[in-house]
Amino acid sequence: MLHEFSINVPFSEINEITDLLNAAGIYNLYYESPIEIIKVQNGYGYEEKEDQHIELKIYASDQEVDHLPEAYYPLLTETLSISRDDISYKTYDETNWEQSYEFEDIDLGNGWVIKYPGSEKEYNDKNVLKFDPLAAFGTGLHETTQGCLRMVLNEDLTGKTVLDLGTGSGMLAIAASLKGAEKVVAVDYEEVSRELYHNAELNNLTNDLQVVQADLITGEYEIDETYDLILINIGANETMSIIERHDLLKNSDNFFISGLVEWHLDELISVFAKGGFSINEKSQTNEWVSIHFRRD
């Protein structure tokens, strides 16, 4: 049995409260920061609302602590100087507690479907990209990923080389491989090789698929090869920094750039124009924009 104790606390005091609970030997804590989504230059950001109260949840299991819930009530009241009436309590069956999130398959509208684990649907008349997000960024749900993904899946990449910068869990790299790319190099700040190779295996890929962990902006990694296509699905500021850091426009005549918002495009378009590129394709979903830059 899993026991949940809930307490309403000021968010401004959450660090002090968690420190007190940790010192008392209570570590299984959960809360959601109160935030307000705000528009920023490069997309969206958030501000934490320090003046609000939040619900702090404390968990304990019968497998780890004896005599629950009574064992926790005096511990919580004494540690936090609250009364028993300030604590809400409920229990869960631990066997049903950890339920994995099930993604709904996504029809991209161009003859391709993203099919997630657990789906039993059959797509006899469509191409299927099998994908398991695991822990890395990039589920395919966001407009930026879908916009760039459609561009990749509409291309014939047979025998070509592709560089995917900021690959996350590797959806674009997998798509490029499915479209026939002979070599794909996927680079990310995080260690994502487990996710990417797992998804490559799901799709029975046998091409040259390389995963590199590197800081593209401040690290020592150098992009010194040329590619038939370079993919960047990060954001305008980060894309600009990577282009400047690596003098990247020399490395390809084709770029698929996504993660862009409509109010932050002019500078990026200007940089590509100065490099001899024109816009071959531009797509937009809500405020999110994807662009194919090509140099003839």
Side-chain angles (χ1 to χ4, degrees):
M1 185 75 68
L2 187 69
H3 301 256
E4 178 189 271
F5 304 83
S6 300
I7 307 169
N8 193 260
V9 300
F11 181 62
S12 59
E13 300 176 14
I14 190 62
N15 291 330
E16 178 184 350
I17 291 170
T18 55
D19 286 345
L20 288 171
L21 291 171
N22 291 166
I26 300 173
Y27 301 101
N28 298 319
L29 311 175
Y30 174 80
Y31 66 89
E32 292 185 357
S33 300
I35 62 172
E36 178 181 355
I37 303 300
I38 58 174
K39 184 185 292 186
V40 296
Q41 185 184 35
N42 200 33
Y44 290 97
Y46 67 90
E47 292 179 345
E48 291 185 339
K49 311 299 288 185
E50 293 283 344
D51 58 344
Q52 294 188 13
H53 278 64
I54 60 170
E55 187 176 37
L56 174 63
K57 296 182 178 181
I58 301 152
Y59 294 99
S61 170
D62 286 328
Q63 299 178 19
E64 299 173 348
V65 181
D66 294 330
H67 310 300
L68 287 169
E70 292 304 321
Y72 257 38
Y73 277 119
L75 191 59
L76 293 174
T77 57
E78 293 171 13
T79 300
L80 301 179
S81 300
I82 59 177
S83 71
R84 181 163 173 156
D85 290 339
D86 293 323
I87 304 172
S88 299
Y89 169 75
K90 65 174 64 174
T91 60
Y92 297 94
D93 183 349
E94 286 190 77
T95 60
N96 297 323
W97 175 247
E98 292 188 1
Q99 298 292 334
S100 60
Y101 183 82
E102 293 186 2
F103 294 96
E104 291 289 334
D105 294 350
I106 298 174
D107 190 332
L108 293 169
N110 62 347
W112 282 85
V113 173
I114 305 173
K115 185 174 182 178
Y116 293 101
S119 172
E120 298 180 357
K121 295 181 180 179
E122 296 295 331
Y123 300 98
N124 298 322
D125 58 342
K126 296 181 183 294
N127 298 301
V128 175
L129 189 163
K130 296 178 181 179
F131 200 76
D132 185 355
L134 296 180
F137 174 81
T139 63
L141 299 177
H142 198 276
E143 292 98 327
T144 61
T145 305
Q146 291 188 29
C148 198
L149 184 60
R150 289 187 183 94
M151 287 185 177
V152 174
L153 293 173
N154 289 340
E155 287 287 307
D156 181 6
L157 298 175
T158 303
K160 295 185 177 182
T161 58
V162 177
L163 176 65
D164 181 15
L165 301 179
T167 190
S169 52
M171 179 170 286
L172 298 180
I174 297 300
S177 301
L178 285 170
K179 290 299 293 184
E182 180 179 333
K183 175 183 176 182
V184 177
V185 179
V187 185
D188 200 274
Y189 181 82
E190 303 291 343
E191 173 53 64
V192 296
S193 58
R194 178 180 71 97
E195 286 85 352
L196 205 144
Y197 288 131
H198 169 69
N199 283 300
E201 185 175 351
L202 287 180
N203 290 277
N204 300 312
L205 296 175
T206 58
N207 63 323
D208 182 4
L209 187 55
Q210 302 175 18
V211 185
V212 178
Q213 182 180 9
D215 184 336
L216 289 163
I217 298 175
T218 62
E220 298 180 357
Y221 179 71
E222 298 285 346
I223 300 172
D224 51 15
E225 296 183 36
T226 58
Y227 296 86
D228 295 305
L229 174 64
I230 294 179
L231 311 172
I232 309 178
N233 178 28
I234 303 174
N237 285 342
E238 293 82 0
T239 298
M240 295 284 290
S241 297
I242 292 171
I243 289 173
E244 181 179 355
R245 162 71 176 79
H246 298 275
D247 190 17
L248 193 64
L249 301 190
K250 73 180 186 304
N251 295 92
S252 183
D253 293 329
N254 285 280
F255 287 78
F256 289 175
I257 308 294
S258 195
L260 310 173
V261 285
E262 59 185 356
W263 55 82
H264 195 198
L265 294 175
D266 292 346
E267 186 179 1
L268 182 68
I269 291 173
S270 176
V271 166
F272 274 94
K274 290 177 182 177
F277 288 81
S278 59
I279 296 177
N280 184 65
E281 181 183 356
K282 179 181 176 183
S283 67
Q284 182 167 348
T285 304
N286 297 321
E287 67 271 36
W288 299 99
V289 179
S290 301
I291 301 177
H292 175 193
F293 291 100
R294 184 171 66 186
R295 180 168 52 201
D296 295 323

